């Protein structure tokens, strides 16, 4: 009688810009796609984002930024996930980035980058295809015990 | 390390994951809960309820700060509604709790109602048990705040804080209509607003009227005025919550035990009801029957609902 | 207005012929139907196929349109408008450190810019020095990093501060930056009485849209009122608030929401200043506004015309202003950043031209035109020059500035102007009912209205009901522009060191004394004796950094978080 696992997503805004239009629109679209979305508002440090992701046991972190500080904050989130043995949590990014930064961010471990013009449907489809809710405890338990 | 030991020792990742397993009703989570139960019973569970927009999250954030100053560890469960149309949810209570994000002494979890009525998620009680076993000294539970349907929290908490703001006439009506009993402490938040004195007076009257129903040694509900955003009145609220706890735990008093027994009974009854209902449904299906089919026959007057229930319960529980 | 222009019998004839035309129109549509199932503006306001005198027949010409420089100022705030002087060409600029931005200022002035506009980086906008852990990776990226009075000095080096007017886009820390500007100008030998410019200083729209959140609404308003009071007494040529719709629109609002929420913010600032004991006619003339010019040409023109009329009416009727200057809505305009695309970025020049033209036809007092690369980064020199030239071509080649309010009297424009005003008035009533803007913000009301509109627009884009060329129609890849600006990550370290050295040099006792006085004033009840501005000017002179002043604010007044409902 177990429910189907529900996908949990953290939508977070690192950086000091307050342009939350994109983050809010995407959060709503995720809700409407049936996901549980944890939204923490603007001005989050990478440390806060990772701590939240772990406490909330999310499957995916969606980072939205327009301040230009992505070259610091995106890789830092990945680094902190690793430090906390939580690299199974995927990270995607949204915003506008200089062309040359996109391969760098992907190399750092960001799974996908969505730029303005990406349709909400595309983002949701990408999530549906590429992210599945964490395996249940019995299967992943052994991996965790070693941690 | 065994999963139980990991939880009891406060391992954040393990706690976070078991909470999810409980919420998703994984069968494996039941055995964990069974084994965790002996470790529970130490935390002070405080419920915060009240209509949306009265400032519950901000109060929870501020109160958590006071407990941290006393070096007590804090668990927070914040419930937001699941969309009835899509099954999704946006959980935004953490926005107001940011200063605790990096404090290892505070564990915050947002959860969705997932179709449960009563302002709490179905898994709230189980989640409280996990945080309790994990050694949190205080567990703050923030409800959705959907009008009058907030009684459930009193079954989960030792201390229930009912939050309102000036000018919410509907709240006063709801309190009159029945949720008066559940509030141990009434908070009038945004007390700098016009109408604050009036709200406090109305609450005082209600407490006075209700006093006839209280025994001499019962707790007398307290009213606290706060301005959560500015951090005003929080010290008073903290003191009042602590006063309630000391009242319940006073030596020679059976109050704490009474509350715990009442809570346990309601939770046990609820669990029984859920399990028995589930068992009945499963057996109906096992016999190749279905609820929808029964409904069709009842609507077509081939069967009456009274006989239907008699037959199912008879069949189901035999 | 119809009756003013046409006789009853002429109107009858219009009505008759309109009916005939409509019949023809419907008949023709049977052969070739309309392109769209519904025609609406970018804000989704439905538009009819044709407008005639019938659409404005009940309106009085003198009450609603009238003459430029005359109440209700629908046609413009001055009698001469661009026949005497063009708008101020004020390009928003800020990049890297103070020296980089100073160089850009000189470049723009040398190419014909007529006013300065400063873009600060995010740490500065949020009241943090570059050294703050919250500021990692941000230094100089979206504007200039200013921590100290010394930075301010380098920012405006070799610029005559009594001749040029300077706009500074800064909000929660506006009082601190203004104090630095004044202290620097006086150090350079200029008189504060002669300084002209604008601080954005519009805290309300931050809660509503831009989310540069620092203090709760009430202390934020207190600081704004302090600056209004100080400006009125000490810096009379300064615009102390630029009440901004721009960011509300960028957050996804409709044109009407931009108009209504911004005007209501204006109402709130006036009320606060009046509560402080200032007389409307003493300060209202120094309030200025800031509009977004989006891609829907006529909607924008109508919005700007309606804004002047609505503000004039409110100032006269709601606040009893007597001095015509108090009733004037003078405004800056920026073309819509959110209308630009990273795909086929050269198309952005075309979009910006349309939007700039709308701002000019809407009667703006100053204008920033976005650069084609602004969608990726703050503008490069090459792209900024094209944007400046766009304004100059509109002003000096196109001929549109030869006549005042050339679209005045057009049936569609007047009907749309009326519609804008009516719908904005409905929002103003609603906000009154909610108990004012601060109460509405705490309930997330304007935020939710905007979020709903933004979501609706995105759904229309996804469904192809609204078109963005290169994005959801004729979709195209994004090219690699060779001139996109790069800000060196290294400047962060240099800026941190520079500020560190600056702090070491200052006189500790003098600094502490100034900070104590600032704290005393913040903690006291709001009044002229506790106005923060004189103390701030002293504090920054004594070496206080931006963050030190803002930390004091945060300590005394508390911080604020977005209600964040959906």
């Amino acid at each position: 009688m177990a429910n189907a696992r529900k996908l949990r997503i953290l939508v977070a805004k690192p950086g000091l810009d307050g342009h939350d239009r994109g983050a809010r629109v995407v959060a709503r679209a995720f809700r409407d796609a049936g996901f549980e979305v944890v939204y923490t508002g603007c001005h989050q440090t990478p440390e806060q984002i990772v701590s939240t992701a772990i406490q909330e046991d999310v499957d995916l972190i969606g980072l939205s930024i327009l301040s230009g500080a992505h070259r610091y904050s995106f890789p830092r989130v990945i680094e902190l996930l690793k430090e906390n043995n939580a690299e199974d949590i995927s990270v995607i990014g949204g915003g506008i980035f200089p062309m040359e930064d996109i391969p760098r961010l992907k190399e750092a471990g960001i799974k996908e980058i969505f730029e303005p013009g990406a349709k909400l449907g595309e983002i949701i489809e990408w999530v549906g295809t590429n992210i599945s809710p964490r395996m249940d405890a019995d299967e992943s338990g052994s991996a965790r015990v070693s941690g | 390390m065994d999963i139980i030991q990991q939880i009891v020792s406060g391992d954040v990742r393990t706690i976070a994951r078991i909470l999810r397993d409980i919420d998703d009703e994984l069968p494996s989570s039941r055995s964990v809960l069974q084994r965790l139960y002996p470790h529970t019973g130490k935390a002070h569970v405080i419920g915060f309820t009240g209509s949306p927009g009265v400032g519950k999250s901000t109060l929870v954030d501020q109160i958590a700060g006071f407990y941290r100053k006393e070096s007590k560890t804090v668990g927070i469960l914040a419930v937001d509604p699941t969309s009835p149309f899509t099954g999704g949810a946006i959980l935004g209570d953490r926005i107001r709790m940011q200063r605790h994000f990096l404090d290892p002494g505070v564990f915050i979890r947002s959860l969705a109602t997932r179709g449960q009525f009563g302002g709490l998620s179905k898994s709230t009680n189980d989640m409280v048990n996990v945080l309790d076993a994990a050694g949190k000294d205080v567990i703050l539970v923030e409800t959705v705040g959907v009008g009058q349907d907030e009684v459930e929290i009193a079954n989960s908490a030792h201390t229930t804080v009912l939050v309102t703001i000036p000018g919410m006439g509907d709240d006063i009506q709801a309190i009159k209509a029945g949720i008066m009993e559940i509030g141990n402490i009434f908070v009038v938040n945004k007390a700098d607003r016009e109408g604050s004195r009036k709200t406090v007076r109305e609450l005082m009257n209600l407490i006075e009227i209700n006093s006839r129903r209280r025994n001499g040694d019962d707790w007398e509900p307290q009213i606290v005025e706060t301005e959560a955003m500015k951090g005003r009145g929080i010290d008073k609220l903290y003191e009042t919550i602590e006063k309630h706890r000391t009242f319940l735990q006073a030596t020679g008093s059976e109050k704490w035990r009474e509350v715990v027994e009442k809570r346990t009974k309601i939770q046990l009854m609820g669990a029984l009801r859920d399990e028995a209902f589930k068992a009945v449904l499963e057996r109906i299906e096992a016999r190749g029957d279905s609820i929808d089919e029964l409904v069709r026959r009842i609507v077509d007057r081939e069967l009456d609902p009274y006989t239907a229930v008699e037959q199912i319960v008879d069949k189901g529980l035999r | 207005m119809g009756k003013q222009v046409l006789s009853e019998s002429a109107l009858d004839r219009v009505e008759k012929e309109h009916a005939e035309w409509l019949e023809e129109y419907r008949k023709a549509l049977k052969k070739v139907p309309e392109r769209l199932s519904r025609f609406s503006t970018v804000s989704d306001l439905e538009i009819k196929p044709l407008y005639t005198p019938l659409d404005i027949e009940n309106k009085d010409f003198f009450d609603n349109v009238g003459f430029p420089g005359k109440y209700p100022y629908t046609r413009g705030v001055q009698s001469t408008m661009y026949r005497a002087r063009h708008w101020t060409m004020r390009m928003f600029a800020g990049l890297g450190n103070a020296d980089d931005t100073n160089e850009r200022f000189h470049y723009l002035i040398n190419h014909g810019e007529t006013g300065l506009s400063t873009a600060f980086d995010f740490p500065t906008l949020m009241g943090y020095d570059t050294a703050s852990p919250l500021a990692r990776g941000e230094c100089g990226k979206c504007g200039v990093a200013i921590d100290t009075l010394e930075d301010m000095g380098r920012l405006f080096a070799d610029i005559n501060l009594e001749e040029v007017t300077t706009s500074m886009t800064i909000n929660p820390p506006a009082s601190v930056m203004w104090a630095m500007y004044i202290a620097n100008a006086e150090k350079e030998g200029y008189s504060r009485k002669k300084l002209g410019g604008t601080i954005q200083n519009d805290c309300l729209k931050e809660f509503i849209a831009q989310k540069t959140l620092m203090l709760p609404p009430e202390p934020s308003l207190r600081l704004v009122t302090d600056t209004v009071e100080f400006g009125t007494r000490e810096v009379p040529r300064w615009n102390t608030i630029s009440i901004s719709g721009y960011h509300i629109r960028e957050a996804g609002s409709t044109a009407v929401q931009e108009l209504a929420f911004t005007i209501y913010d204006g109402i709130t600032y006036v009320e606060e200043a009046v509560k402080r004991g200032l007389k409307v006619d003493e300060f209202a003339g120094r309030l200025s506004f800031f509009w977004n010019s989006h891609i829907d040409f006529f909607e924008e023109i109508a919005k700007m015309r309606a804004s002047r009329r609505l503000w004039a009416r409110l100032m006269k009727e709601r606040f009893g202003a007597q001095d015509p200057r108090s009733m004037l809505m003078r405004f800056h305009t920026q073309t819509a950043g959110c209308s630009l695309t990273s795909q086929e970025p050269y198309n952005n020049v075309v979009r910006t031209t349309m939007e700039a033209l709308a701002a000019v036809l809407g009667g703006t007092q100053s204008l920033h035109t976005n650069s084609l690369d602004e969608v990726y980064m703050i503008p490069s020199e090459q792209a900024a020059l094209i944007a400046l030239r766009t304004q100059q071509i509109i002003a000096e080649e196109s001929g549109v500035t030869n006549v005042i309010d050339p679209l005045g009297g057009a049936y569609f424009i007047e009907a749309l102007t009326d519609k804008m005003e009516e719908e904005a008035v409905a929002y103003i009533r609603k906000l009154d009912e909610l108990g004012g803007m601060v109460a509405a913000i705490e309930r997330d009301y304007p935020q939710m209205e905007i979020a709903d509109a933004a979501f609706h627009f995105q759904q229309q884009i996804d469904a192809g009901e609204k078109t963005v060329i290169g994005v959801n129609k004729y979709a195209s890849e994004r090219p690699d522009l060779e001139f996109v600006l790069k800000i060196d990550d290294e400047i962060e370290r240099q800026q941190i060191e520079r500020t560190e050295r600056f702090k070491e040099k200052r006189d500790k006792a003098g600094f502490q004394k100034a900070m104590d006085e600032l704290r005393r004033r913040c903690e006291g009840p709001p009044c002229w004796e506790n106005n923060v501005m004189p103390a701030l000017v002293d504090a920054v002179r004594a070496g206080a950094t931006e963050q030190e002043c803002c930390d004091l604010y945060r300590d005394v007044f508390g911080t604020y978080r977005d209600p964040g409902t959906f």
Side-chain angles (χ1 to χ4, degrees), chain C residues 229-348:
Chain C
E229 188 182 34
F230 182 78
T232 305
R233 292 173 180 241
E234 299 275 317
V235 199
R237 288 182 55 206
W238 201 274
N239 298 314
T240 40
I241 322 177
S242 168
I243 307 160
S244 307
Y246 184 82
H247 320 83
I248 291 175
R249 194 66 178 285
E250 290 288 304
S253 84
T254 65
V256 168
Q257 287 166 351
E258 180 194 357
L259 177 60
F261 296 159
T262 306
I263 294 234
Y264 206 96
D265 289 346
I267 290 173
T268 311
Y269 295 128
V270 173
E271 283 172 350
E272 290 296 317
V274 169
K275 264 191 237 161
R276 180 68 63 91
L278 296 174
K279 296 210 168 50
V280 170
D281 288 324
E282 283 175 351
F283 68 87
R286 297 321 301 173
L287 300 176
S288 64
F289 286 79
F290 175 16
W291 297 123
N292 190 307
S293 188
H294 212 297
I295 195 69
D296 198 300
F297 190 68
F298 294 115
E299 184 171 53
E300 293 312 301
I301 297 167
K303 176 189 77 187
M304 293 173 203
R305 296 175 85 249
S307 75
R308 274 191 296 270
R309 186 161 81 199
L310 181 52
W311 184 247
R313 285 179 175 160
L314 283 165
M315 289 310 291
K316 189 173 179 181
E317 289 158 22
R318 187 167 174 142
F319 293 108
Q322 308 272 314
D323 184 347
R325 283 200 58 79
S326 308
M327 301 174 206
L328 296 185
M329 162 163 297
R330 297 168 301 120
F331 61 87
H332 173 68
T333 306
Q334 178 170 341
T335 57
C338 64
S339 72
L340 305 186
T341 67
S342 57
Q343 299 87 346
E344 301 187 353
Y346 285 96
N347 299 345
N348 294 335

Side-chain angles (χ1 to χ4, degrees), chain C residues 260-261 264 426-437 440 445-446:
Chain C
F261 296 159
Y264 206 96
Y427 262 123
I428 289 171
R429 279 204 200 99
K430 171 81 187 172
L431 288 161
D432 279 340
E433 279 165 25
L434 287 172
M437 192 49 102
Y445 171 74

Side-chain angles (χ1 to χ4, degrees), chain B residues 5-252:
Chain B
Q5 285 172 289
Q6 280 183 314
I7 295 170
V8 171
S9 68
D11 181 73
V12 175
R13 195 109 220 256
T14 314
I15 296 167
R17 291 181 153 212
I18 192 66
L19 293 181
R20 172 105 171 265
D21 294 345
I22 292 168
D23 214 15
D24 288 345
E25 295 181 50
L26 289 203
S28 60
S29 65
R30 164 112 19 131
S31 77
V32 175
L33 283 168
Q34 284 165 344
R35 289 188 286 149
L36 275 181
Y37 198 76
H39 299 278
T40 62
K42 293 176 294 263
H44 180 200
V45 184
I46 307 162
F48 286 79
T49 188
S51 302
V54 295
K56 295 187 293 293
S57 308
T58 311
L59 278 171
V60 165
D61 169 68
Q62 297 268 8
I63 282 292
F66 266 83
Y67 279 106
R68 291 303 294 139
K69 265 190 243 157
E70 302 294 315
S71 298
K72 292 198 173 161
T73 54
V74 179
I76 299 175
L77 295 174
V79 191
D80 270 322
T82 293
S83 157
F85 306 108
T86 67
I90 294 178
L91 315 172
D93 292 324
R94 288 185 79 105
I95 293 179
R96 286 163 294 274
M97 304 176 185
Q98 292 187 16
R99 62 191 168 126
H100 302 299
F101 283 9
L102 297 179
D103 177 355
V106 180
F107 182 102
I108 308 172
R109 182 54 168 258
S110 320
L111 52 158
T113 51
R114 297 199 177 174
Q116 180 80 358
F117 295 103
L120 291 179
S121 150
K122 200 173 164 197
S123 0
T124 311
N125 291 328
D126 297 337
M127 292 197 175
V128 165
N129 282 340
V130 172
L131 294 178
D132 185 351
K136 301 298 169 209
D137 298 316
V138 179
I139 299 168
L140 309 174
V141 182
E142 179 193 337
T143 73
V144 170
V146 278
Q148 308 192 13
D149 205 7
E150 296 282 291
V151 194
E152 287 280 316
I153 185 62
N155 304 331
S156 290
H158 301 109
T159 303
T160 300
V161 180
L162 219 152
V163 188
T164 186
I165 51 174
M168 297 268 278
D170 291 353
D171 273 14
I172 299 293
Q173 288 310 316
I175 291 167
K176 255 190 222 168
I179 59 171
M180 185 78 208
E181 283 79 3
I182 69 165
N184 306 121
I185 298 165
F186 293 84
V187 169
V188 179
N189 193 25
K190 307 187 184 178
D192 52 332
R193 284 210 189 153
E194 213 174 302
S196 172
R197 291 314 305 166
K198 182 166 170 269
T199 306
V200 171
R201 259 199 320 276
E202 283 173 332
L203 285 170
M204 278 164 76
N205 286 339
L206 286 174
I207 291 170
E208 179 59 31
I209 292 163
N210 262 272
S211 67
R212 286 176 225 130
R213 282 197 254 155
R214 279 194 296 274
N215 294 321
D217 63 339
D218 278 355
W219 167 262
E220 186 186 342
Q222 303 286 304
I223 302 170
V224 182
E225 291 176 77
T226 59
E227 293 169 52
M229 199 121 63
K230 293 175 198 143
R232 290 188 192 143
I234 310 296
D235 48 351
K236 180 80 195 304
L237 175 59
Y238 171 76
E239 281 163 24
T240 313
I241 293 172
E242 280 301 292
K243 211 166 101 190
H244 185 244
R245 185 181 60 81
T246 341
F247 166 82
L248 293 177
Q249 292 181 334
T251 2

Side-chain angles (χ1 to χ4, degrees), chain C residues 182-199:
Chain C
I182 294 166
N184 174 61
E186 290 184 336
K187 196 172 143 205
E188 299 281 325
Y190 302 107
S191 155
R192 61 171 74 171
K193 300 277 178 209
K194 288 186 186 161
L195 296 177
T198 306
I199 38 176

